[in-house]
Amino acid sequence: MATPPSLRIDNLMAALNAADIAQHPVEVHGALVGLICGGIEESKREWNTSLLELINDGQALPPSLQQLIDELYQDTLARISDIDFGFSPMQPEEEEPVSTRVEALSLWVQSFLTGLAIVQPKLNNASADVREVIKDLAEIAMVEFDVADDDESESAYMELTEFAKMAALLCYAEFAPEPSAQQTGVIH
């Protein structure tokens, strides 16, 4: 599933800047994925209220930016709930230096962990596997940005990105509501 042009990093960055929101698009995406993977209710009021608290001190967004955020939510939910759609953390283009992409991954992971913690404040009660990936993600969030632009760094970056993707999918599998509960409102 191709990313809609409206959800490219440069378009999101321009919309965030126009609204004077000092967040990078990867931070917004990371927080949104953390909320979704934490099992936040799919009602717009729930996820949007929590996201606005994280990115804009709870203040409403300009309508054009809110529309982009709504699209990002729908796209992200479709990708993470259906493995065939190819979920992965939002990252800068491959043409960007490895250090820029590593910094963006660190920001994504930090925001993911924050979003996840809002919905799942007792992560210490999660399964051993989830607790382990949370610990590993916390280490990725502190990774050094001063990396060489070489094949070894590129390979390490790709591994970290794949780990972040798998960690998000593991959290979604553990915390997300059952599909029937989402569609019918039935609580299991």
Side-chain angles (χ1 to χ4, degrees):
M1 182 162 120
T3 300
S6 60
L7 300 181
R8 290 177 43 105
I9 284 182
D10 53 345
N11 290 340
L12 290 167
M13 182 65 92
L16 290 165
N17 288 341
D20 291 326
I21 297 176
Q23 297 280 319
H24 191 283
V26 299
E27 292 174 290
V28 174
H29 186 254
L32 192 55
V33 173
L35 293 169
I36 292 169
C37 291
I40 198 157
E41 288 183 36
E42 286 188 31
S43 73
K44 182 173 179 182
R45 188 172 151 254
E46 291 298 321
W47 70 260
N48 196 54
T49 300
S50 294
L51 185 65
L52 291 178
E53 286 294 327
L54 289 172
I55 69 169
N56 200 31
D57 295 325
Q59 301 300 306
L61 301 174
S64 59
L65 178 56
Q66 184 61 59
Q67 182 178 344
L68 281 176
I69 297 297
D70 292 347
E71 288 178 39
L72 183 62
Y73 172 80
Q74 292 301 326
D75 183 72
T76 302
L77 184 61
R79 289 174 186 276
I80 206 152
S81 62
D82 187 337
I83 196 77
D84 294 334
F85 286 149
F87 166 78
S88 64
M90 180 182 281
Q91 290 294 290
E93 298 296 326
E94 291 179 19
E95 296 79 35
E96 295 290 329
V98 175
S99 59
T100 300
R101 290 180 284 144
V102 167
E103 181 177 4
L105 181 61
S106 175
L107 291 172
W108 187 93
V109 168
Q110 290 169 23
S111 296
F112 171 81
L113 290 172
T114 301
L116 185 68
I118 285 173
V119 186
Q120 294 292 332
K122 296 186 179 187
L123 284 170
N124 56 338
N125 294 337
S127 70
D129 288 343
V130 167
R131 287 192 317 268
E132 181 69 25
V133 298
I134 298 294
K135 182 175 139 291
D136 292 343
L137 286 172
E139 290 177 18
I140 291 172
M142 296 184 290
V143 72
E144 294 291 322
F145 306 138
D146 187 23
V147 294
D149 207 0
D150 58 19
D151 289 344
E152 185 177 327
S153 296
E154 182 71 35
S155 178
Y157 163 77
M158 296 297 277
E159 286 180 31
L160 291 175
T161 302
E162 185 64 21
F163 181 83
K165 170 186 170 178
M166 297 313 291
L169 292 171
L170 177 65
C171 290
Y172 183 76
E174 179 150 332
F175 299 125
E178 295 291 323
S180 61
Q182 293 172 353
Q183 294 166 357
T184 64
V186 175
I187 298 174
H188 294 271

mmCIF file of all heavy atoms in Angstrom, residues 116-165:
data_model
loop_
_atom_site.group_PDB
_atom_site.id
_atom_site.type_symbol
_atom_site.label_atom_id
_atom_site.label_comp_id
_atom_site.label_asym_id
_atom_site.label_seq_id
_atom_site.Cartn_x
_atom_site.Cartn_y
_atom_site.Cartn_z
ATOM 1 N N LEU A 116 2.385 5.004 23.935
ATOM 2 C CA LEU A 116 2.065 3.700 24.515
ATOM 3 C C LEU A 116 1.843 3.818 26.024
ATOM 4 O O LEU A 116 0.881 3.267 26.564
ATOM 5 C CB LEU A 116 3.205 2.717 24.214
ATOM 6 C CG LEU A 116 2.997 1.272 24.628
ATOM 7 C CD1 LEU A 116 1.902 0.624 23.795
ATOM 8 C CD2 LEU A 116 4.308 0.499 24.456
ATOM 9 N N ALA A 117 2.697 4.564 26.687
ATOM 10 C CA ALA A 117 2.607 4.705 28.147
ATOM 11 C C ALA A 117 1.344 5.442 28.577
ATOM 12 O O ALA A 117 0.810 5.193 29.664
ATOM 13 C CB ALA A 117 3.844 5.414 28.688
ATOM 14 N N ILE A 118 0.839 6.341 27.731
ATOM 15 C CA ILE A 118 -0.398 7.050 28.069
ATOM 16 C C ILE A 118 -1.571 6.087 28.142
ATOM 17 O O ILE A 118 -2.413 6.168 29.028
ATOM 18 C CB ILE A 118 -0.659 8.181 27.053
ATOM 19 C CG1 ILE A 118 0.295 9.325 27.345
ATOM 20 C CG2 ILE A 118 -2.111 8.654 27.083
ATOM 21 C CD1 ILE A 118 0.261 10.433 26.338
ATOM 22 N N VAL A 119 -1.628 5.153 27.204
ATOM 23 C CA VAL A 119 -2.739 4.205 27.159
ATOM 24 C C VAL A 119 -2.503 3.019 28.086
ATOM 25 O O VAL A 119 -3.440 2.456 28.638
ATOM 26 C CB VAL A 119 -2.965 3.702 25.709
ATOM 27 C CG1 VAL A 119 -4.196 2.825 25.626
ATOM 28 C CG2 VAL A 119 -3.084 4.862 24.752
ATOM 29 N N GLN A 120 -1.254 2.648 28.269
ATOM 30 C CA GLN A 120 -0.881 1.492 29.098
ATOM 31 C C GLN A 120 0.069 1.938 30.209
ATOM 32 O O GLN A 120 1.269 1.676 30.161
ATOM 33 C CB GLN A 120 -0.197 0.417 28.229
ATOM 34 C CG GLN A 120 -1.076 -0.215 27.200
ATOM 35 C CD GLN A 120 -2.159 -1.070 27.826
ATOM 36 O OE1 GLN A 120 -2.016 -1.615 28.918
ATOM 37 N NE2 GLN A 120 -3.279 -1.190 27.130
ATOM 38 N N PRO A 121 -0.449 2.649 31.222
ATOM 39 C CA PRO A 121 0.455 3.168 32.247
ATOM 40 C C PRO A 121 1.142 2.079 33.083
ATOM 41 O O PRO A 121 2.150 2.351 33.729
ATOM 42 C CB PRO A 121 -0.446 4.045 33.114
ATOM 43 C CG PRO A 121 -1.826 3.556 32.855
ATOM 44 C CD PRO A 121 -1.838 3.004 31.458
ATOM 45 N N LYS A 122 0.629 0.876 33.063
ATOM 46 C CA LYS A 122 1.230 -0.206 33.859
ATOM 47 C C LYS A 122 1.913 -1.214 32.937
ATOM 48 O O LYS A 122 1.576 -2.392 32.929
ATOM 49 C CB LYS A 122 0.171 -0.869 34.725
ATOM 50 C CG LYS A 122 -0.401 0.102 35.743
ATOM 51 C CD LYS A 122 -1.341 -0.559 36.689
ATOM 52 C CE LYS A 122 -1.828 0.512 37.663
ATOM 53 N NZ LYS A 122 -2.619 -0.004 38.716
ATOM 54 N N LEU A 123 2.874 -0.724 32.177
ATOM 55 C CA LEU A 123 3.579 -1.601 31.237
ATOM 56 C C LEU A 123 4.346 -2.707 31.944
ATOM 57 O O LEU A 123 4.647 -3.724 31.344
ATOM 58 C CB LEU A 123 4.524 -0.786 30.357
ATOM 59 C CG LEU A 123 3.832 0.014 29.251
ATOM 60 C CD1 LEU A 123 4.808 0.975 28.595
ATOM 61 C CD2 LEU A 123 3.212 -0.899 28.221
ATOM 62 N N ASN A 124 4.642 -2.519 33.221
ATOM 63 C CA ASN A 124 5.330 -3.579 33.967
ATOM 64 C C ASN A 124 4.430 -4.799 34.148
ATOM 65 O O ASN A 124 4.901 -5.872 34.511
ATOM 66 C CB ASN A 124 5.866 -3.068 35.308
ATOM 67 C CG ASN A 124 4.782 -2.447 36.168
ATOM 68 O OD1 ASN A 124 3.739 -2.017 35.664
ATOM 69 N ND2 ASN A 124 5.028 -2.375 37.454
ATOM 70 N N ASN A 125 3.129 -4.665 33.867
ATOM 71 C CA ASN A 125 2.214 -5.806 33.930
ATOM 72 C C ASN A 125 2.065 -6.497 32.582
ATOM 73 O O ASN A 125 1.319 -7.474 32.463
ATOM 74 C CB ASN A 125 0.827 -5.360 34.405
ATOM 75 C CG ASN A 125 0.841 -4.880 35.840
ATOM 76 O OD1 ASN A 125 1.721 -5.247 36.620
ATOM 77 N ND2 ASN A 125 -0.115 -4.042 36.187
ATOM 78 N N ALA A 126 2.743 -6.003 31.563
ATOM 79 C CA ALA A 126 2.671 -6.593 30.226
ATOM 80 C C ALA A 126 3.406 -7.928 30.214
ATOM 81 O O ALA A 126 4.118 -8.283 31.162
ATOM 82 C CB ALA A 126 3.283 -5.638 29.202
ATOM 83 N N SER A 127 3.266 -8.638 29.105
ATOM 84 C CA SER A 127 3.963 -9.916 28.957
ATOM 85 C C SER A 127 5.471 -9.689 28.997
ATOM 86 O O SER A 127 5.961 -8.578 28.761
ATOM 87 C CB SER A 127 3.573 -10.572 27.630
ATOM 88 O OG SER A 127 4.126 -9.837 26.546
ATOM 89 N N ALA A 128 6.199 -10.750 29.269
ATOM 90 C CA ALA A 128 7.662 -10.658 29.324
ATOM 91 C C ALA A 128 8.231 -10.178 27.992
ATOM 92 O O ALA A 128 9.169 -9.376 27.966
ATOM 93 C CB ALA A 128 8.257 -12.009 29.709
ATOM 94 N N ASP A 129 7.662 -10.643 26.886
ATOM 95 C CA ASP A 129 8.149 -10.230 25.567
ATOM 96 C C ASP A 129 7.972 -8.732 25.365
ATOM 97 O O ASP A 129 8.871 -8.051 24.867
ATOM 98 C CB ASP A 129 7.415 -10.987 24.451
ATOM 99 C CG ASP A 129 7.835 -12.449 24.362
ATOM 100 O OD1 ASP A 129 8.897 -12.812 24.911
ATOM 101 O OD2 ASP A 129 7.087 -13.228 23.742
ATOM 102 N N VAL A 130 6.809 -8.209 25.728
ATOM 103 C CA VAL A 130 6.560 -6.775 25.559
ATOM 104 C C VAL A 130 7.467 -5.969 26.481
ATOM 105 O O VAL A 130 8.039 -4.962 26.066
ATOM 106 C CB VAL A 130 5.070 -6.429 25.780
ATOM 107 C CG1 VAL A 130 4.856 -4.934 25.914
ATOM 108 C CG2 VAL A 130 4.235 -6.983 24.630
ATOM 109 N N ARG A 131 7.622 -6.399 27.722
ATOM 110 C CA ARG A 131 8.521 -5.677 28.632
ATOM 111 C C ARG A 131 9.943 -5.644 28.073
ATOM 112 O O ARG A 131 10.627 -4.624 28.166
ATOM 113 C CB ARG A 131 8.501 -6.312 30.029
ATOM 114 C CG ARG A 131 7.223 -6.046 30.792
ATOM 115 C CD ARG A 131 7.309 -6.408 32.263
ATOM 116 N NE ARG A 131 7.971 -7.666 32.559
ATOM 117 C CZ ARG A 131 7.365 -8.851 32.692
ATOM 118 N NH1 ARG A 131 6.061 -8.945 32.573
ATOM 119 N NH2 ARG A 131 8.054 -9.936 32.976
ATOM 120 N N GLU A 132 10.380 -6.737 27.472
ATOM 121 C CA GLU A 132 11.722 -6.804 26.898
ATOM 122 C C GLU A 132 11.862 -5.847 25.714
ATOM 123 O O GLU A 132 12.861 -5.124 25.618
ATOM 124 C CB GLU A 132 12.036 -8.238 26.448
ATOM 125 C CG GLU A 132 13.417 -8.419 25.862
ATOM 126 C CD GLU A 132 14.552 -8.278 26.862
ATOM 127 O OE1 GLU A 132 14.334 -8.503 28.069
ATOM 128 O OE2 GLU A 132 15.662 -7.932 26.419
ATOM 129 N N VAL A 133 10.872 -5.804 24.812
ATOM 130 C CA VAL A 133 10.994 -4.890 23.672
ATOM 131 C C VAL A 133 10.892 -3.441 24.111
ATOM 132 O O VAL A 133 11.547 -2.578 23.528
ATOM 133 C CB VAL A 133 10.007 -5.181 22.510
ATOM 134 C CG1 VAL A 133 10.228 -6.547 21.924
ATOM 135 C CG2 VAL A 133 8.593 -4.966 22.882
ATOM 136 N N ILE A 134 10.114 -3.160 25.150
ATOM 137 C CA ILE A 134 10.031 -1.789 25.674
ATOM 138 C C ILE A 134 11.408 -1.363 26.191
ATOM 139 O O ILE A 134 11.871 -0.251 25.935
ATOM 140 C CB ILE A 134 8.971 -1.676 26.793
ATOM 141 C CG1 ILE A 134 7.582 -2.015 26.272
ATOM 142 C CG2 ILE A 134 9.015 -0.311 27.462
ATOM 143 C CD1 ILE A 134 7.013 -1.091 25.260
ATOM 144 N N LYS A 135 12.057 -2.258 26.901
ATOM 145 C CA LYS A 135 13.405 -1.972 27.408
ATOM 146 C C LYS A 135 14.368 -1.716 26.251
ATOM 147 O O LYS A 135 15.138 -0.754 26.262
ATOM 148 C CB LYS A 135 13.879 -3.150 28.265
ATOM 149 C CG LYS A 135 15.235 -2.976 28.903
ATOM 150 C CD LYS A 135 15.513 -4.154 29.820
ATOM 151 C CE LYS A 135 16.888 -4.666 29.755
ATOM 152 N NZ LYS A 135 17.425 -5.349 28.636
ATOM 153 N N ASP A 136 14.299 -2.550 25.224
ATOM 154 C CA ASP A 136 15.164 -2.376 24.057
ATOM 155 C C ASP A 136 14.844 -1.078 23.304
ATOM 156 O O ASP A 136 15.745 -0.388 22.843
ATOM 157 C CB ASP A 136 15.041 -3.572 23.117
ATOM 158 C CG ASP A 136 15.623 -4.852 23.721
ATOM 159 O OD1 ASP A 136 16.390 -4.768 24.702
ATOM 160 O OD2 ASP A 136 15.286 -5.942 23.215
ATOM 161 N N LEU A 137 13.554 -0.757 23.195
ATOM 162 C CA LEU A 137 13.167 0.491 22.532
ATOM 163 C C LEU A 137 13.698 1.705 23.304
ATOM 164 O O LEU A 137 14.119 2.696 22.693
ATOM 165 C CB LEU A 137 11.649 0.592 22.384
ATOM 166 C CG LEU A 137 11.018 -0.296 21.313
ATOM 167 C CD1 LEU A 137 9.498 -0.237 21.410
ATOM 168 C CD2 LEU A 137 11.491 0.078 19.921
ATOM 169 N N ALA A 138 13.673 1.619 24.620
ATOM 170 C CA ALA A 138 14.201 2.726 25.427
ATOM 171 C C ALA A 138 15.687 2.942 25.129
ATOM 172 O O ALA A 138 16.161 4.086 25.101
ATOM 173 C CB ALA A 138 13.981 2.451 26.914
ATOM 174 N N GLU A 139 16.399 1.868 24.861
ATOM 175 C CA GLU A 139 17.819 1.996 24.495
ATOM 176 C C GLU A 139 17.969 2.601 23.101
ATOM 177 O O GLU A 139 18.851 3.417 22.867
ATOM 178 C CB GLU A 139 18.507 0.639 24.583
ATOM 179 C CG GLU A 139 18.661 0.158 26.016
ATOM 180 C CD GLU A 139 19.282 -1.221 26.124
ATOM 181 O OE1 GLU A 139 19.911 -1.688 25.147
ATOM 182 O OE2 GLU A 139 19.132 -1.841 27.192
ATOM 183 N N ILE A 140 17.085 2.217 22.164
ATOM 184 C CA ILE A 140 17.131 2.786 20.820
ATOM 185 C C ILE A 140 16.850 4.284 20.884
ATOM 186 O O ILE A 140 17.454 5.074 20.157
ATOM 187 C CB ILE A 140 16.128 2.075 19.889
ATOM 188 C CG1 ILE A 140 16.588 0.645 19.614
ATOM 189 C CG2 ILE A 140 15.943 2.837 18.583
ATOM 190 C CD1 ILE A 140 15.585 -0.203 18.858
ATOM 191 N N ALA A 141 15.957 4.675 21.771
ATOM 192 C CA ALA A 141 15.605 6.096 21.901
ATOM 193 C C ALA A 141 16.805 6.940 22.323
ATOM 194 O O ALA A 141 16.831 8.140 22.083
ATOM 195 C CB ALA A 141 14.466 6.268 22.901
ATOM 196 N N MET A 142 17.791 6.313 22.910
ATOM 197 C CA MET A 142 18.976 7.048 23.376
ATOM 198 C C MET A 142 20.185 6.848 22.473
ATOM 199 O O MET A 142 21.299 7.213 22.833
ATOM 200 C CB MET A 142 19.318 6.609 24.797
ATOM 201 C CG MET A 142 18.237 6.970 25.794
ATOM 202 S SD MET A 142 18.666 6.576 27.489
ATOM 203 C CE MET A 142 18.621 4.797 27.473
ATOM 204 N N VAL A 143 19.977 6.306 21.286
ATOM 205 C CA VAL A 143 21.080 6.003 20.378
ATOM 206 C C VAL A 143 21.809 7.289 19.977
ATOM 207 O O VAL A 143 21.219 8.364 19.907
ATOM 208 C CB VAL A 143 20.564 5.222 19.138
ATOM 209 C CG1 VAL A 143 19.761 6.111 18.216
ATOM 210 C CG2 VAL A 143 21.694 4.562 18.387
ATOM 211 N N GLU A 144 23.098 7.164 19.713
ATOM 212 C CA GLU A 144 23.928 8.300 19.296
ATOM 213 C C GLU A 144 23.609 8.666 17.851
ATOM 214 O O GLU A 144 23.437 7.800 17.008
ATOM 215 C CB GLU A 144 25.410 7.943 19.417
ATOM 216 C CG GLU A 144 25.884 7.716 20.839
ATOM 217 C CD GLU A 144 25.892 8.986 21.652
ATOM 218 O OE1 GLU A 144 26.234 10.054 21.114
ATOM 219 O OE2 GLU A 144 25.550 8.906 22.842
ATOM 220 N N PHE A 145 23.552 9.969 17.569
ATOM 221 C CA PHE A 145 23.238 10.429 16.223
ATOM 222 C C PHE A 145 24.485 10.583 15.367
ATOM 223 O O PHE A 145 24.398 10.740 14.162
ATOM 224 C CB PHE A 145 22.504 11.773 16.257
ATOM 225 C CG PHE A 145 21.282 11.763 17.126
ATOM 226 C CD1 PHE A 145 21.006 12.833 17.948
ATOM 227 C CD2 PHE A 145 20.415 10.694 17.134
ATOM 228 C CE1 PHE A 145 19.881 12.839 18.748
ATOM 229 C CE2 PHE A 145 19.284 10.685 17.918
ATOM 230 C CZ PHE A 145 19.019 11.762 18.740
ATOM 231 N N ASP A 146 25.642 10.599 15.986
ATOM 232 C CA ASP A 146 26.888 10.829 15.268
ATOM 233 C C ASP A 146 27.381 9.508 14.693
ATOM 234 O O ASP A 146 28.265 8.870 15.245
ATOM 235 C CB ASP A 146 27.920 11.440 16.220
ATOM 236 C CG ASP A 146 29.176 11.866 15.488
ATOM 237 O OD1 ASP A 146 29.091 12.100 14.269
ATOM 238 O OD2 ASP A 146 30.220 11.967 16.148
ATOM 239 N N VAL A 147 26.755 9.096 13.593
ATOM 240 C CA VAL A 147 27.127 7.829 12.965
ATOM 241 C C VAL A 147 27.731 8.115 11.601
ATOM 242 O O VAL A 147 27.393 9.098 10.946
ATOM 243 C CB VAL A 147 25.912 6.880 12.820
ATOM 244 C CG1 VAL A 147 25.402 6.432 14.164
ATOM 245 C CG2 VAL A 147 24.809 7.516 12.015
ATOM 246 N N ALA A 148 28.607 7.247 11.198
ATOM 247 C CA ALA A 148 29.247 7.392 9.888
ATOM 248 C C ALA A 148 28.233 7.064 8.791
ATOM 249 O O ALA A 148 27.316 6.276 8.990
ATOM 250 C CB ALA A 148 30.438 6.455 9.797
ATOM 251 N N ASP A 149 28.418 7.664 7.643
ATOM 252 C CA ASP A 149 27.539 7.398 6.514
ATOM 253 C C ASP A 149 28.164 6.280 5.677
ATOM 254 O O ASP A 149 28.677 6.501 4.583
ATOM 255 C CB ASP A 149 27.363 8.686 5.687
ATOM 256 C CG ASP A 149 26.048 8.706 4.937
ATOM 257 O OD1 ASP A 149 25.273 7.735 5.063
ATOM 258 O OD2 ASP A 149 25.798 9.689 4.219
ATOM 259 N N ASP A 150 28.135 5.061 6.239
ATOM 260 C CA ASP A 150 28.753 3.933 5.560
ATOM 261 C C ASP A 150 27.802 2.729 5.575
ATOM 262 O O ASP A 150 26.719 2.784 6.163
ATOM 263 C CB ASP A 150 30.105 3.587 6.198
ATOM 264 C CG ASP A 150 30.002 3.249 7.683
ATOM 265 O OD1 ASP A 150 28.898 2.923 8.173
ATOM 266 O OD2 ASP A 150 31.034 3.307 8.369
ATOM 267 N N ASP A 151 28.215 1.648 4.938
ATOM 268 C CA ASP A 151 27.363 0.464 4.819
ATOM 269 C C ASP A 151 27.049 -0.160 6.172
ATOM 270 O O ASP A 151 25.932 -0.642 6.396
ATOM 271 C CB ASP A 151 28.025 -0.580 3.912
ATOM 272 C CG ASP A 151 28.035 -0.162 2.451
ATOM 273 O OD1 ASP A 151 27.268 0.765 2.102
ATOM 274 O OD2 ASP A 151 28.792 -0.754 1.661
ATOM 275 N N GLU A 152 28.018 -0.147 7.079
ATOM 276 C CA GLU A 152 27.806 -0.734 8.404
ATOM 277 C C GLU A 152 26.736 0.047 9.177
ATOM 278 O O GLU A 152 25.832 -0.540 9.776
ATOM 279 C CB GLU A 152 29.118 -0.751 9.190
ATOM 280 C CG GLU A 152 29.004 -1.455 10.530
ATOM 281 C CD GLU A 152 30.344 -1.511 11.250
ATOM 282 O OE1 GLU A 152 31.400 -1.619 10.589
ATOM 283 O OE2 GLU A 152 30.316 -1.452 12.496
ATOM 284 N N SER A 153 26.811 1.369 9.134
ATOM 285 C CA SER A 153 25.809 2.200 9.811
ATOM 286 C C SER A 153 24.445 2.047 9.155
ATOM 287 O O SER A 153 23.420 1.998 9.835
ATOM 288 C CB SER A 153 26.230 3.669 9.785
ATOM 289 O OG SER A 153 27.412 3.851 10.524
ATOM 290 N N GLU A 154 24.425 1.970 7.844
ATOM 291 C CA GLU A 154 23.170 1.777 7.105
ATOM 292 C C GLU A 154 22.517 0.458 7.510
ATOM 293 O O GLU A 154 21.313 0.385 7.758
ATOM 294 C CB GLU A 154 23.434 1.791 5.592
ATOM 295 C CG GLU A 154 22.203 1.653 4.744
ATOM 296 C CD GLU A 154 21.308 2.882 4.761
ATOM 297 O OE1 GLU A 154 21.813 4.008 4.831
ATOM 298 O OE2 GLU A 154 20.079 2.693 4.696
ATOM 299 N N SER A 155 23.316 -0.575 7.605
ATOM 300 C CA SER A 155 22.813 -1.892 7.994
ATOM 301 C C SER A 155 22.271 -1.869 9.427
ATOM 302 O O SER A 155 21.193 -2.409 9.709
ATOM 303 C CB SER A 155 23.927 -2.935 7.862
ATOM 304 O OG SER A 155 23.475 -4.190 8.284
ATOM 305 N N ALA A 156 23.003 -1.222 10.318
ATOM 306 C CA ALA A 156 22.555 -1.121 11.718
ATOM 307 C C ALA A 156 21.250 -0.320 11.808
ATOM 308 O O ALA A 156 20.324 -0.697 12.539
ATOM 309 C CB ALA A 156 23.641 -0.471 12.570
ATOM 310 N N TYR A 157 21.163 0.757 11.050
ATOM 311 C CA TYR A 157 19.934 1.564 11.021
ATOM 312 C C TYR A 157 18.747 0.714 10.542
ATOM 313 O O TYR A 157 17.661 0.769 11.119
ATOM 314 C CB TYR A 157 20.128 2.789 10.122
ATOM 315 C CG TYR A 157 18.832 3.432 9.725
ATOM 316 C CD1 TYR A 157 18.130 4.236 10.623
ATOM 317 C CD2 TYR A 157 18.285 3.219 8.462
ATOM 318 C CE1 TYR A 157 16.909 4.804 10.269
ATOM 319 C CE2 TYR A 157 17.083 3.788 8.103
ATOM 320 C CZ TYR A 157 16.397 4.571 9.007
ATOM 321 O OH TYR A 157 15.197 5.122 8.661
ATOM 322 N N MET A 158 18.957 -0.055 9.485
ATOM 323 C CA MET A 158 17.880 -0.896 8.946
ATOM 324 C C MET A 158 17.422 -1.923 9.993
ATOM 325 O O MET A 158 16.222 -2.174 10.130
ATOM 326 C CB MET A 158 18.343 -1.613 7.674
ATOM 327 C CG MET A 158 18.674 -0.659 6.535
ATOM 328 S SD MET A 158 17.278 0.302 5.982
ATOM 329 C CE MET A 158 16.534 -0.854 4.885
ATOM 330 N N GLU A 159 18.366 -2.487 10.715
ATOM 331 C CA GLU A 159 18.023 -3.453 11.766
ATOM 332 C C GLU A 159 17.214 -2.788 12.878
ATOM 333 O O GLU A 159 16.242 -3.358 13.373
ATOM 334 C CB GLU A 159 19.286 -4.092 12.336
ATOM 335 C CG GLU A 159 19.921 -5.111 11.425
ATOM 336 C CD GLU A 159 21.173 -5.729 12.027
ATOM 337 O OE1 GLU A 159 21.252 -5.853 13.269
ATOM 338 O OE2 GLU A 159 22.077 -6.079 11.246
ATOM 339 N N LEU A 160 17.622 -1.588 13.288
ATOM 340 C CA LEU A 160 16.897 -0.873 14.342
ATOM 341 C C LEU A 160 15.485 -0.511 13.878
ATOM 342 O O LEU A 160 14.527 -0.612 14.649
ATOM 343 C CB LEU A 160 17.651 0.393 14.752
ATOM 344 C CG LEU A 160 18.963 0.191 15.498
ATOM 345 C CD1 LEU A 160 19.658 1.529 15.727
ATOM 346 C CD2 LEU A 160 18.739 -0.542 16.807
ATOM 347 N N THR A 161 15.350 -0.091 12.625
ATOM 348 C CA THR A 161 14.030 0.242 12.085
ATOM 349 C C THR A 161 13.136 -0.989 12.051
ATOM 350 O O THR A 161 11.963 -0.926 12.434
ATOM 351 C CB THR A 161 14.171 0.855 10.672
ATOM 352 O OG1 THR A 161 14.996 2.008 10.752
ATOM 353 C CG2 THR A 161 12.816 1.235 10.101
ATOM 354 N N GLU A 162 13.685 -2.107 11.616
ATOM 355 C CA GLU A 162 12.907 -3.353 11.575
ATOM 356 C C GLU A 162 12.519 -3.784 12.991
ATOM 357 O O GLU A 162 11.396 -4.248 13.218
ATOM 358 C CB GLU A 162 13.717 -4.457 10.877
ATOM 359 C CG GLU A 162 12.955 -5.749 10.665
ATOM 360 C CD GLU A 162 11.756 -5.634 9.730
ATOM 361 O OE1 GLU A 162 11.688 -4.691 8.904
ATOM 362 O OE2 GLU A 162 10.865 -6.497 9.829
ATOM 363 N N PHE A 163 13.425 -3.600 13.953
ATOM 364 C CA PHE A 163 13.102 -3.941 15.333
ATOM 365 C C PHE A 163 11.965 -3.064 15.852
ATOM 366 O O PHE A 163 11.038 -3.559 16.495
ATOM 367 C CB PHE A 163 14.335 -3.795 16.238
ATOM 368 C CG PHE A 163 14.034 -4.159 17.659
ATOM 369 C CD1 PHE A 163 14.045 -5.485 18.063
ATOM 370 C CD2 PHE A 163 13.689 -3.188 18.585
ATOM 371 C CE1 PHE A 163 13.724 -5.841 19.366
ATOM 372 C CE2 PHE A 163 13.358 -3.527 19.893
ATOM 373 C CZ PHE A 163 13.385 -4.852 20.288
ATOM 374 N N ALA A 164 12.026 -1.759 15.575
ATOM 375 C CA ALA A 164 10.969 -0.848 16.016
ATOM 376 C C ALA A 164 9.630 -1.257 15.411
ATOM 377 O O ALA A 164 8.592 -1.236 16.085
ATOM 378 C CB ALA A 164 11.318 0.589 15.648
ATOM 379 N N LYS A 165 9.644 -1.625 14.154
ATOM 380 C CA LYS A 165 8.425 -2.087 13.473
ATOM 381 C C LYS A 165 7.868 -3.331 14.172
ATOM 382 O O LYS A 165 6.677 -3.395 14.493
ATOM 383 C CB LYS A 165 8.757 -2.407 12.014
ATOM 384 C CG LYS A 165 7.651 -3.122 11.267
ATOM 385 C CD LYS A 165 8.132 -3.520 9.889
ATOM 386 C CE LYS A 165 7.160 -4.447 9.210
ATOM 387 N NZ LYS A 165 7.593 -4.801 7.863
#
